[in-house]
C-alpha cells in the first residue's frame, strides 16, 4: 500500500517540469540504532516550493541535511540534474545562527567571503539582498540589537546572497510569533516568485505548508518515511486574501487529515524527541 | 495608542518608581564611597594601633612613614618595580602566545588534545616554588629563568579557556561554514577564534594576575641568592635589614600593580566585547 502511494506521489510530481534533484531509495541509520529515514524516493522539481511536513522525529531535518551534503545517506543516492551540488545551496536553520560579533552586513557577506569575494566586490549583492528582506538601514546593526523576526530575515538574506538554485529551510519560523511568521511567509513567497529558486521547507505546521508550497510531502515516523504527497493547486501569488479563503480552509483540513493518518501510522501516541 | 504611552518628563513618577530611582542612585554612590570609607578607617586604625601600643617602627611602621618611604625611596622602589613589570608583561605575552598557540593546536585534532592536555595540567598543578630549584639548575640566564617560571604559572588559564572557547562553537554555524566550502583555516579565523574571544579574555584576566604572582615568586626564590633586582628582592632585603617601612612600601606597590593590571585587562575585555557579548552589555530594563 505504501509502495502504491509512493508511485502515485512520484507520478504527480513528474509532469513536464524539469527536475533538479532526485532522492532514490534514501535511508539513514544512526549508530544508536535509530533509523531516521527508510526508502525515501522524492523528486524535487526546478522552481518547486516543497514542504516536508510531519511529526517531530520523522526525519525531516535528516533529509534536509542529506540533501545539503552535511550527512551521507546509509542507503540509496542523490541525483543532481544539471551537475551542481553543494556549492549551489542556501541553508536557513531554525535558529537564525548569525555570527554575534559581526554586523548584519558582514553576516550576509559571510557566504561570499568564504568563497573569496572581497567586501567591495560583494557590496552590491549584499545591499540588494538586505533590501530584498526589508532590512535596509540596518546594515551596521549587530544581531543582538535585532528582533527575532529581523534576525531570521538576515539569515534568509545570507542564505540567498549567493543566488543558490536551492534553498533549504529547517523550520525557520517555528520560534516566531504568529504575526511575524505571517509576514515572513508573505515575504518569502514574494522572493521565491521573483528569483525562481527552489525551496525545500521543513515545517510541522499544516497552515504554513499549505500557504507556502505547491507540493507537500507528508512524512511518518519510526522509521522516517514519505507517507503521502499532496499537491496544492491554488495559484500564486498567494496573499492575505488566500489565507482567509474557503479554499485555504479546505486544503488545510485535508492536509490535517493526511497528517493525522501519518501520525497514527507512525505511533504518534508518544511524541518523543 | 498614544493615550497609554507615558510621555517622558510629563508623567510624575509613582512612589514605588521614585523609590527605585533613589535606591539606584544611592547604590551608585555607595559603590565608591563605602569601600573608600572602610579603607580610610582601616588605615586610621592601623595608625592608632601603632601609637596606642607604642609599636616600634621596625616591627610595624605607621602609614605616614610608609608613604614617606614610597617618596624618599622612589628611585630604588620604582626601578625595582620596572624590573618586575618587565618580567610580568613578557611572561604574560608569552603566556598568551603559548596558551593560544597550544589551544589552536589542540583544536586541530581531538587526539592532539587528549595526548598533551594532561602535560599542561601537570605543569599547572605542580607548585612553582618546588619546580624552581630545577629551573635554577638548568637555565643560566637570569631573565629566562624568571620568565619561564612566570610563564608556567600564567599560561594555563589561557590555554584551558581558549581550548574551551574554540570547541564551543554553534554546531549549525560549523555546518554553515562547511556548506559554503570553508577551509579549516577560514573556519578557524572567521568562526572559532572570534567565538573563543570571550573565553580567552576571561583567561587573560586571570593570567594577568598570575603572571605578576609568578614573577614575584620567581624573584623570591632567585632573590635569596642575591641575583635579582625586582620588587621581591627589595622586600627580602628590607626584611633582613629590619627596614619595615620599605618592606610595606614595596608590598603596596606590588598589590597596586596587581590592581592596575586587573583593571586594564578588564577594560580591554570590555572594549573588545562591548558590541556583541552579553557579559559586556549594560543592563537595560
Ligand atoms: N546525529 C544523530 N544521531 C543519532 N540519532 C539522530 C541523529 N540525528 C537525528 N537522530 C534521530 O533521527 C530521528 C529523526 O530526527 P530528525 O531528522 O531530527 O527529525 P525531525 O527533524 O523530523 O524532527 C530522531 O529519532 C532523532 O532522534
Ligand atoms: Mg528537525
Amino acid at each position: 500500500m505504501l509502495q502504491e502511494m509512493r508511485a502515485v506521489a512520484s507520478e504527480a510530481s513528474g509532469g513536464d517540469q524539469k527536475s533538479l534533484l532526485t532522492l532514490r531509495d534514501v535511508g539513514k541509520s544512526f549508530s544508536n540504532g535509530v533509523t531516521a529515514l527508510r526508502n525515501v524516493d522524492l523528486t524535487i522539481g526546478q522552481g518547486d516550493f516543497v514542504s516536508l511536513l510531519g511529526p517531530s522525529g520523522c526525519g525531516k531535518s535528516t533529509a534536509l541535511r542529506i540533501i545539503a551534503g552535511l550527512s551521507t545517506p546509509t542507503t540509496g543516492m542523490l541525483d543532481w540534474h544539471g551537475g551542481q551540488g553543494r556549492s549551489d545551496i542556501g541553508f536557513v536553520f531554525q535558529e537564525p545562527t548569525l555570527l554575534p560579533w559581526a554586523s548584519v552586513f558582514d553576516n550576509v557577506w559571510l557566504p561570499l567571503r568564504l568563497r573569496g569575494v572581497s567586501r567591495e566586490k560583494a557590496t552590491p549583492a549584499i545591499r540588494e539582498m538586505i533590501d530584498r528582506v526589508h532590512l535596509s538601514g540596518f546594515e551596521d546593526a549587530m544581531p543582538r540589537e535585532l528582533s527575532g523576526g529581523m534576525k531570521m530575515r538576515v539569515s534568509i538574506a545570507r542564505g540567498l546572497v549567493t543566488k543558490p538554485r536551492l534553498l533549504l529551510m529547517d523550520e525557520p519560523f517555528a520560534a516566531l510569533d504568529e504575526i511575524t511568521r505571517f509576514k515572513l511567509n508573505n515575504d518569502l513567497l514574494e522572493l521565491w516568485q521573483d528569483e525562481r529558486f527552489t525551496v525545500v521547507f521543513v515545517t510541522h505546521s499544516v497552515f504554513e505548508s499549505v500557504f507556502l508550497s505547491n507540493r507537500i510531502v507528508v512524512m511518518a515516523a519510526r522509521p522516517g518515511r514519505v507517507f503521502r504527497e499532496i499537491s496544492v493547486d491554488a495559484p500564486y501569488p498567494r496573499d492575505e486574501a488566500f489565507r482567509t479563503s474557503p479554499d485555504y480552509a479546505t486544503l488545510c483540513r485535508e492536509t490535517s487529515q493526511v497528517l493525522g493518518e501519518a501520525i497514527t501510522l507512525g505511533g504518534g501516541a508518544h511524541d518523543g524527541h | 495608542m498614544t493615550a497609554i504611552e507615558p510621555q517622558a518628563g510629563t508623567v510624575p513618577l509613582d512612589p514605588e518608581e521614585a523609590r527605585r530611582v533613589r535606591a539606584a542612585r544611592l547604590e551608585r554612590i555607595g559603590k565608591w564611597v563605602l569601600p573608600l570609607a572602610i579603607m580610610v578607617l582601616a588605615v586610621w586604625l592601623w595608625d592608632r594601633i601603632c601609637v596606642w601600643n607604642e609599636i616600634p617602627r621596625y616591627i610595624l611602621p605607621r602609614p605616614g612613614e610608609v608613604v614617606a618611604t614610597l617618596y624618599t625611596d622612589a628611585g630604588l622602589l620604582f626601578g625595582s618595580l620596572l624590573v618586575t613589570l618587565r618580567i610580568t608583561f613578557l611572561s604574560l605575552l608569552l603566556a598568551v602566545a603559548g596558551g593560544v598557540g597550544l589551544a589552536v593546536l589542540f583544536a586541530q585534532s581531538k587526539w592532539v588534545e587528549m595526548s598533551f592536555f594532561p602535560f599542561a595540567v601537570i605543569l599547572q598543578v605542580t607548585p612553582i616554588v618546588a619546580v624552581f630549584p630545577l629551573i635554577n639548575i638548568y637555565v643560566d640566564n637570569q631573565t629566562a629563568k624568571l620568565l619561564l617560571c612566570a610563564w608556567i604559572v600564567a599560561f594555563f588559564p589561557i590555554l584551558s579557556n581558549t581550548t574551551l572557547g574554540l570547541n564551543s562553537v554553534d554546531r549549525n554555524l560549523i555546518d554553515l561554514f562547511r556548506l559554503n566550502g570553508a577551509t579549516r583555516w577560514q573556519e578557524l579565523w572567521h568562526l572559532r577564534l572570534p567565538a573563543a574571544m570571550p573565553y580567552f579574555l576571561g583567561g587573560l584576566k586571570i593570567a594577568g594576575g598570575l603572571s605578576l604572582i609568578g614573577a614575584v615568586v620567581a624573584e623570591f626564590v632567585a632573590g635569596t641568592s642575591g641575583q635579582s633586582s625586582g620588587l621581591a628582592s627589595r622586600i627580602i632585603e628590607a626584611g633582613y635589614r629590619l627596614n619595615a617601612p620599605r618592606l610595606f612600601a614595596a608590598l603596596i606597590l606590588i598589590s597596586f600593580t596587581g590592581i592596575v593590571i586587573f583593571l586594564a585587562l578588564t577594560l580591554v575585555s570590555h572594549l573588545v566585547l562591548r558590541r556583541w557579548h552579553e557579559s559586556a552589555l549594560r543592563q537595560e530594563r
Side-chain angles (χ1 to χ4, degrees):
Chain A
M1 161 147 161
L2 267 178
Q3 292 292 339
E4 266 169 55
M5 277 175 191
R6 266 207 307 280
V8 171
S10 50
E11 225 165 78
S13 65
D16 47 352
Q17 159 205 39
K18 272 176 43 181
S19 58
L20 177 73
L21 162 71
T22 308
L23 281 75
R24 290 189 207 287
D25 195 34
V26 166
K28 176 77 185 177
S29 311
F30 290 106
S31 53
N32 60 359
V34 174
T35 304
L37 291 175
R38 180 179 291 172
N39 305 124
V40 172
D41 287 299
L42 183 66
T43 299
I44 315 273
Q46 254 173 44
D48 262 351
F49 199 123
V50 182
S51 283
L52 302 183
L53 175 67
S56 93
C58 72
K60 306 183 295 290
S61 298
T62 305
L64 218 55
R65 291 174 59 80
I66 286 177
I67 294 175
L70 291 170
S71 177
T72 48
T74 316
T75 63
M77 57 189 293
L78 255 73
D79 267 350
W80 287 94
H81 308 286
Q84 93 284 19
R86 270 166 78 162
S87 62
D88 216 6
I89 292 177
F91 205 113
V92 176
F93 303 91
Q94 176 167 356
E95 305 297 324
T97 43
L98 305 176
L99 305 175
W101 52 83
S103 65
V104 167
F105 187 96
D106 287 348
N107 265 291
V108 178
W109 176 29
L110 181 71
L112 292 173
R113 187 181 201 182
L114 293 176
R115 286 170 172 73
V117 185
S118 72
R119 214 166 189 273
E120 290 75 51
K121 274 238 181 79
T123 296
I126 298 170
R127 286 208 183 285
E128 188 206 324
M129 225 36 251
I130 290 179
D131 186 45
R132 292 304 315 259
V133 297
H134 308 297
L135 281 180
S136 290
F138 288 95
E139 283 87 351
D140 295 328
M142 300 303 275
R144 65 169 181 87
E145 297 161 344
L146 306 178
S147 68
M150 289 161 92
K151 281 186 217 168
M152 195 40 84
R153 288 172 185 279
V154 179
S155 189
I156 293 172
R158 181 182 62 189
L160 289 176
V161 75
T162 54
K163 304 257 175 242
R165 285 215 277 165
L166 178 60
L167 182 66
L168 305 175
M169 306 179 88
D170 193 354
E171 306 195 28
F173 309 142
L176 301 177
D177 64 88
E178 194 159 73
I179 297 172
T180 310
R181 192 159 67 231
F182 283 2
K183 269 184 91 90
L184 277 161
N185 282 168
N186 295 341
D187 293 344
L188 176 63
L189 269 191
E190 209 171 283
L191 270 169
W192 173 68
Q193 286 196 280
D194 290 352
E195 311 276 334
R196 306 308 312 173
F197 48 86
T198 308
V199 183
V200 179
F201 188 97
V202 166
T203 179
H204 54 232
S205 158
V206 167
F207 305 103
E208 198 170 48
S209 64
V210 172
F211 183 75
L212 291 172
S213 37
N214 64 334
R215 294 169 57 201
I216 301 174
V217 176
V218 180
M219 296 177 68
R222 270 171 287 272
R225 59 198 182 280
V226 174
F227 175 66
R228 195 178 301 168
E229 188 175 322
I230 300 167
S231 74
V232 184
D233 291 327
Y236 295 95
R238 297 176 186 169
D239 51 15
E240 288 306 321
F242 176 60
R243 226 185 255 290
T244 49
S245 70
D247 279 357
Y248 179 64
T250 312
L251 282 162
C252 286
R253 196 167 54 244
E254 285 169 10
T255 309
S256 285
Q257 264 161 15
V258 176
L259 181 62
E261 286 171 40
I263 291 172
T264 321
L265 193 80
H270 40 93
D271 55 329
H273 323 292
Chain B
M1 201 60 197
T2 44
I4 54 168
E5 268 180 49
Q7 301 238 304
T10 55
V11 179
L13 294 173
D14 58 277
E16 190 199 326
E17 195 60 9
R19 241 195 327 275
R20 228 174 57 112
V21 170
R22 263 201 312 278
R25 189 182 309 147
L26 268 180
E27 204 182 303
R28 264 201 309 279
I29 298 170
K31 215 167 79 178
W32 292 100
V33 170
L34 279 181
L36 265 179
I38 298 290
M39 188 75 84
V40 168
L41 191 73
V43 171
W44 178 79
L45 254 181
W46 167 10
D47 188 61
R48 287 303 90 191
I49 287 172
C50 292
V51 174
W52 291 332
N53 298 318
E54 293 169 4
I55 300 176
R57 63 187 296 266
Y58 58 85
I59 292 184
L60 183 62
R62 291 173 58 180
E65 276 180 279
V66 174
V67 175
T69 310
L70 259 181
Y71 183 74
T72 51
D73 290 359
L76 188 71
L77 286 174
F78 281 90
S80 295
L81 175 64
L82 275 186
V83 173
T84 303
L85 274 182
R86 203 179 60 127
I87 298 292
T88 303
F89 282 123
L90 274 178
S91 69
L92 184 59
L93 218 68
L94 290 178
V96 168
V100 173
L102 281 176
V104 167
L105 202 71
F106 285 2
Q108 296 312 302
S109 144
K110 265 258 144 335
W111 296 102
V112 179
E113 184 180 340
M114 281 191 307
S115 313
F116 290 101
F117 205 77
F119 281 94
V121 175
I122 290 170
L123 263 185
Q124 168 68 14
V125 296
T126 312
I128 193 64
V129 182
V131 180
F132 193 78
L134 285 178
I135 297 177
N136 215 3
I137 296 173
Y138 299 133
V139 185
D140 270 342
N141 184 296
Q142 182 63 21
T143 308
K145 239 181 246 179
L146 299 181
L147 270 183
L148 186 61
C149 187
W151 182 82
I152 290 176
V153 178
F155 92 101
F156 188 76
I158 294 188
L159 170 66
S160 70
N161 271 30
T162 310
T163 302
L164 181 66
L166 289 173
N167 288 328
S168 53
V169 176
D170 188 334
R171 298 295 315 168
N172 285 337
L173 277 173
I174 293 178
D175 283 345
L176 187 81
F177 271 64
R178 302 256 154 98
L179 200 67
N180 283 291
T183 60
R184 279 179 90 84
W185 165 250
Q186 283 178 318
E187 190 179 303
L188 179 69
W189 187 249
H190 294 303
L191 182 59
R192 288 187 189 271
L193 282 176
M197 194 53 115
Y199 297 82
F200 162 74
L201 288 168
L204 183 68
K205 255 191 273 187
I206 301 170
L210 283 182
S211 60
L212 178 65
I213 292 175
V216 171
V217 167
E219 276 176 17
F220 256 109
V221 189
T224 43
S225 46
Q227 302 159 309
S228 161
S229 52
L231 273 179
S233 48
R234 289 288 94 83
I235 290 181
I236 295 171
E237 202 180 85
Y240 283 151
R241 296 181 188 168
L242 294 184
N243 188 347
R246 186 186 288 172
L247 198 154
F248 271 84
L251 205 58
I252 285 173
L253 270 188
I254 289 179
S255 55
F256 189 72
T257 307
I259 293 170
V260 170
I261 289 176
F262 180 80
L263 288 180
L265 292 178
T266 305
L267 182 71
V268 166
S269 167
H270 178 81
L271 289 180
V272 172
L273 298 182
R274 76 184 151 162
R275 285 217 64 194
W276 65 277
H277 200 255
E278 296 299 332
S279 68
L281 300 185
R282 238 182 318 123
Q283 202 95 56
E284 281 163 24
R285 273 189 289 185

